[in-house]
């Protein structure tokens, strides 16, 4: 059996370069131990040996070191899966926390005076009148879609994993996830900088060593204080240093290796994974003389000009328009959704050739923090508001533009979501009546539209990072050349670069969002499968100034909020043999022209009273 397997491996793996006998013997052992076919092993080893740079790509030859690294990675993946299964089993298979709305305060469910949902001719609400509900027949025009959409997996197991039961975190589960993240980055740093062994930052050394750990703030400093150089601490994993956490001191002439040329330094924030070179001289702190930049994600296949042989060859052969909108969709003063209605009116009334092919709508849709909702100043229920303001108008738009699609991404502030923590599962299908042209995605989400890869989150991570980031100036060593259109010193672009390099939609570990640390795997920007590259488009709505920036191979867009009359339009040109991804993507930041409120009627001023005649 082994001889047959060896012959098959030799035939498959020696198509490019001859293999040593020791390497071939080890490959046979791996196939037997992990039950991997020779073809699968070939693809996995090629993916591991794939090296991308600004000048080209290559697949490195298979060596014993490659096979050892592959076995270590496979064992980690198996351990991670075992941990996930144990967590699900310990939680009894529970999925979501259900809310009994019958026990909510009456004034919260008593809603409409500030809104004209279901209002009759007299302006009074009809919600209090009992109405017999009849089934409504909905006729859908299901013409072929202009674009091909591929999003999160919707099988039962995937939906159950995303709809985890929150508020049941265990300290052991949190620590396992945090440690695993450090260990994954440790392997990445060792491969990138050819480092044989990483050191313990808490152990005294005479020579300079390399460490990998997580940035934390001094526990004696107030949690409301911004991170400073004097409050930096470094924590490594239990495998690397028994989880020790000690103060961190940065050299005044610190070097930064592997940053984008022109950056001038390196940004630090709580929760960030960093690699440092320096030593602990026994003074109770680690003195860093150099920062090793985390290597960037490799470009997507589309950015590299590679076509998926399994995909439809016609994908990407048409121009497409994507409108990107983020909530809130109405100002705090009312629940009339005027900006959203103005946008929809434009989209519905546009001629067929100018209708958007994709609407990416990001929550919150019905904001639980809206003053009118919090004070119970409306008689309409949240579900009726959503149906009247979103679902019915979207149906009308899709009926008039049958080749278009809509993508919905929730927010932790959405009152209609059963999941109020991050990472967050998608909306329930019942909310949109399982409309075939409305795609429900989790928060955060990775999906593709034709051959363009998107990454989206509704959490204002840029504001959280900007508020806490400490930027350390340093001397650049072996910098990476900037891509065309990239500004290395741009603050907003560097915040997006933090997300991409940390491989996470929320790398900041503090209390600005309801975060479930034990499920942070769902917030990773890449996975252990096919999605191991940077998104072509990263959508990050934020209260910071709206922008569109080039970050390495990614176009980052902050469309701002529709309540501020702002959204973004992304024009995707069709694919040609000579066009690059940057030439195909053109983003435009749009400001809505809302109709001015009618001026109040002037108050009639009575004529002055006649003066009395003087008496004789």
């Amino acid at each position: 059996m082994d001889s047959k397997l060896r012959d098959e491996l030799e035939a498959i793996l020696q198509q490019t370069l001859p293999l040593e006998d020791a390497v071939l013997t080890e490959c046979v052992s791996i196939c037997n131990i992990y039950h991997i076919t020779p073809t699968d092993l070939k693809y996995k080893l090629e993916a591991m040996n794939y090296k991308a740079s600004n000048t080209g790509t290559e697949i490195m030859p298979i060596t014993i070191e490659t096979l050892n690294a592959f076995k270590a990675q496979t064992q980690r993946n198996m351990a991670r899966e075992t941990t996930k299964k144990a967590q699900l089993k310990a939680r009894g298979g529970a999925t979501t926390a259900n809310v009994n709305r019958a026990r909510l305060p009456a004034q919260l469910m008593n809603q409409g005076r500030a809104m004209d949902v279901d209002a009759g001719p007299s302006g009074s609400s009809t919600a209090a009148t009992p109405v017999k509900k009849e089934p409504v027949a909905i006729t859908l025009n299901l013409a072929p879609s202009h674009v091909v959409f591929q999003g999160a997996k919707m099988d039962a197991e995937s939906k159950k994993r995303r709809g985890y039961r929150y508020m049941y975190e265990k300290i052991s589960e949190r620590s396992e996830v945090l440690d695993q993240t450090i260990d994954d980055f440790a392997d990445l740093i060792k491969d990138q900088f050819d480092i044989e062994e990483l050191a313990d930052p808490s152990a005294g050394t005479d020579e300079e060593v390399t460490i990998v750990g997580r940035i934390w703030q001094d526990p004696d400093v107030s949690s409301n204080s911004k991170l400073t150089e004097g409050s930096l601490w470094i924590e490594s994993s239990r495998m690397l240093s028994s989880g020790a956490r000690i103060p961190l001191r940065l050299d005044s002439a610190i070097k930064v290796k592997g940053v984008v040329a022109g950056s001038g330094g390196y940004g630090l924030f709580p929760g960030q994974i960093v690699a440092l070179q320096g030593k602990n001289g026994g003074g109770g702190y680690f003195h860093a003389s150099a920062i090793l930049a985390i290597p960037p994600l490799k470009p997507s296949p589309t950015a590299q000009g590679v076509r998926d042989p399994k995909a439809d060859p016609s994908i990407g052969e048409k121009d497409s328009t994507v409108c990107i909108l983020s909530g809130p969709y109405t100002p705090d003063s009312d629940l009339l959704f005027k900006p959203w209605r103005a946008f929809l009116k434009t989209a519905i009334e546009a001629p067929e050739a100018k209708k958007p092919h994709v609407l990416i709508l990001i929550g919150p849709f019905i904001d639980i923090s809206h003053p009118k909702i919090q004070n119970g100043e409306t008689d309409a229920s949240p579900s009726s508001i959503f149906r009247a303001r979103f679902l019915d108008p979207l149906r009308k738009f899709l009926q008039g533009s049958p080749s278009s699609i809509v993508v919905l991404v929730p927010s932790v502030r959405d009152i209609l979501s059963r999941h109020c923590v991050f990472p967050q599962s998608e909306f329930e299908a019942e909310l949109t009546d399982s409309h075939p042209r409305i795609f429900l995605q989790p928060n955060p989400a990775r999906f593709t539209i034709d051959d363009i890869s998107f990454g989206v989150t509704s959490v204002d991570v840029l504001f959280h990072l900007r508020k806490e980031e400490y930027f350390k100036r340093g001397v650049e060593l072996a910098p990476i050349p900037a891509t065309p259109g990239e500004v290395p010193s741009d603050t907003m672009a560097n915040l997006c670069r933090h997300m991409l390099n940390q491989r996470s939609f929320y790398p900041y570990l503090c209390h600005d969002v309801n975060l479930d640390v034990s499920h942070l795997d769902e917030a990773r920007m890449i996975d252990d499968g096919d999605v191991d590259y940077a998104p072509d488009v990263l959508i990050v709505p934020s209260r910071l100034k709206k922008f569109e920036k080039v970050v390495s191979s990614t176009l980052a867009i902050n469309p701002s909020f529709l309540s501020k009359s702002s959204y973004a339009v992304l024009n995707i040109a069709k694919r040609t043999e000579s066009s690059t991804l940057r030439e195909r993507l053109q983003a435009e930041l749009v400001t809505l022209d809302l109709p001015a409120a009618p001026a109040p009627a002037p108050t009639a001023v009575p004529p002055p009273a006649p003066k009395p005649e003087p008496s004789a």
Side-chain angles (χ1 to χ4, degrees), residues 56-370:
T57 61
E58 62 175 330
I59 297 178
M60 305 300 291
I62 301 171
T63 62
I64 288 293
E65 289 74 17
T66 304
L67 298 178
N68 290 336
F70 174 77
K71 289 195 293 183
Q73 180 181 345
T74 304
Q75 290 170 356
R76 284 195 302 272
N77 293 342
M78 293 171 65
R80 188 182 297 122
E81 290 299 320
T82 303
T83 302
K84 287 182 180 179
K85 291 178 180 178
Q87 291 173 2
L88 289 174
K89 185 177 180 180
R91 291 171 181 166
T95 54
T96 58
N98 295 320
V99 178
N100 184 356
R101 298 184 178 273
R103 301 185 64 180
L104 290 175
Q107 75 172 47
L108 179 61
M109 302 308 296
N110 226 2
Q111 315 174 359
R113 288 187 293 277
M115 175 174 177
D116 55 349
V117 176
D118 298 331
S122 63
S124 61
S125 172
T126 60
T129 306
V131 178
K132 181 180 179 181
K133 294 185 179 180
E134 297 290 346
V136 180
I138 301 174
T139 303
L140 298 176
N141 186 359
L142 296 180
S145 176
H146 182 88
V147 297
V148 176
F149 179 86
Q150 183 176 359
K153 295 180 180 179
M154 289 299 167
D155 58 279
E157 184 178 351
S158 299
K159 294 175 73 173
K160 182 178 179 180
R161 186 184 68 251
R162 293 193 297 266
Y164 57 87
R165 189 180 184 186
Y166 50 88
M167 296 192 299
Y168 284 85
E169 276 191 298
K170 297 178 181 179
I171 295 178
S172 59
E173 294 174 357
R174 292 170 61 99
S175 63
E176 285 173 5
V177 171
L178 295 175
D179 274 357
Q180 187 62 51
T181 304
I182 296 176
D183 293 339
D184 289 344
F185 274 91
D187 293 337
L188 185 66
I189 292 296
K190 289 167 69 176
D191 293 341
Q192 177 71 15
F193 293 97
D194 195 20
I195 298 171
E196 293 185 3
E197 188 175 357
L198 297 172
D200 178 358
S202 63
T205 56
D206 295 329
E207 299 179 352
E208 282 204 344
V209 295
T210 303
I211 66 168
V212 173
R214 179 178 284 108
I215 293 292
W216 286 113
Q217 191 173 30
D218 186 345
D220 294 333
V221 176
S222 171
S223 59
N224 296 325
S225 301
K226 185 176 179 178
L227 187 68
T228 63
E229 186 167 345
S231 62
L232 288 171
W233 282 52
I234 186 76
E235 175 193 69
S236 198
S237 68
R238 286 175 290 184
M239 185 176 73
L240 295 174
S241 69
S242 301
R245 182 186 296 186
I246 63 169
L248 174 64
R249 301 290 180 263
L250 304 179
D251 194 270
S252 57
I254 195 167
K255 303 175 182 65
V256 285
K257 300 180 181 180
V259 296
V260 179
S263 299
Y266 202 76
L268 303 170
F269 57 87
Q272 180 185 21
I273 307 298
V274 295
L276 306 169
Q277 286 182 337
K279 58 184 177 179
N280 185 340
Y285 62 87
F286 186 84
H287 182 88
S289 59
I291 300 175
L292 308 182
I294 303 295
L297 283 169
K298 68 180 182 182
S300 70
T302 301
Q304 299 179 56
V306 177
R307 297 198 183 197
D308 185 355
K310 300 179 183 178
D312 187 344
S314 64
I315 289 179
E317 298 296 336
K318 299 178 181 178
D319 295 341
S320 302
T321 302
V322 180
C323 288
I324 304 166
L325 293 81
S326 177
Y329 291 83
T330 187
D332 288 346
S333 58
D334 59 58
L335 283 171
L336 298 177
F337 294 86
K338 291 180 181 178
W340 166 242
R341 291 158 62 185
F343 168 81
L344 264 185
K345 185 175 185 293
T346 304
I348 292 174
E349 295 179 355
E352 183 67 28
K354 294 187 177 181
K355 288 185 183 293
H357 303 110
V358 182
L359 296 184
I360 298 179
L361 306 182
I362 307 167
F365 297 91
I366 312 297
D367 193 349
I368 196 171
S369 62
H370 194 286

Side-chain angles (χ1 to χ4, degrees), residues 521-584:
D521 275 352
E522 298 298 325
R524 294 176 65 200
M525 204 166 283
I526 60 176
D527 60 24
D528 297 326
D530 297 332
V531 185
D532 58 348
Y533 50 83
D536 299 319
V537 180
L538 179 63
I539 303 173
V540 279
S542 173
R543 71 190 78 178
L544 300 177
K545 186 178 180 180
K546 58 185 179 181
F547 63 79
E548 49 96 9
K549 305 284 184 182
V550 176
V551 185
S552 189
S553 65
T554 299
L555 177 63
I557 301 175
N558 171 17
S560 190
F561 306 139
L562 196 64
S563 58
K564 297 181 179 180
S565 302
S566 179
Y567 67 98
V569 176
L570 179 66
N571 295 305
I572 305 175
K574 64 182 179 181
R575 182 176 53 194
T576 63
E577 294 297 333
S578 59
S579 62
T580 63
L581 177 64
R582 191 60 51 237
E583 294 170 341
R584 293 178 58 197

Side-chain angles (χ1 to χ4, degrees), residues 404-419:
S404 299
I405 65 171
V406 177
V407 181
L408 299 186
V409 179
S411 164
V412 292
R413 288 159 44 195
D414 268 305
I415 195 172
L416 290 173
S417 174
R418 296 185 181 181
H419 227 227

Side-chain angles (χ1 to χ4, degrees), residues 488-503:
S489 59
D490 187 89
T491 302
M492 296 297 107
N494 284 330
L495 295 179
C496 297
R497 186 174 286 108
H498 284 319
M499 298 176 62
L500 293 166
N501 289 352
Q502 295 288 305
R503 277 81 168 154

